[in-house]
Amino acid sequence: MATETRDEPEAKDEGKGKNKSPSKRTSPALFVRQIIAELRKVIWPTRRELITYTTVSLVFVLVMVAIVSGVDYGLQKGIYELFG
């Protein structure tokens, strides 16, 4: 086979990372504890960073709205001149 080289046996897939029994479910309490544990790992932005990111996002959106509106207005005037 293509995966075998120089008489080395083919690597076995032992199913690491897979559930042992697909029917076993996590209890809601354990699920909530896992969520809280993951949220504690998150590096939350400071107030200053949050304000900066929000301002940059809003300015970007406003610039894109202006560009799309300008192109739309120009195309509209062009079509009216062509067919009007």
Side-chain angles (χ1 to χ4, degrees), residues 30-81:
L30 177 61
F31 182 70
V32 170
R33 284 196 304 267
Q34 289 174 344
I35 290 173
I36 292 169
E38 287 298 320
L39 286 175
R40 287 185 179 156
K41 296 177 188 178
V42 173
I43 299 173
W44 297 97
T46 63
R47 179 178 291 282
R48 184 180 189 116
E49 290 172 336
L50 187 62
I51 291 170
T52 301
Y53 298 155
T54 303
T55 304
V56 168
S57 298
L58 288 175
V59 168
F60 176 77
V61 168
L62 289 174
V63 167
M64 293 307 293
V65 165
I67 290 171
V68 170
S69 296
V71 169
D72 183 51
Y73 182 76
L75 290 173
Q76 178 185 1
K77 289 298 179 181
I79 293 296
Y80 282 154
E81 286 297 318

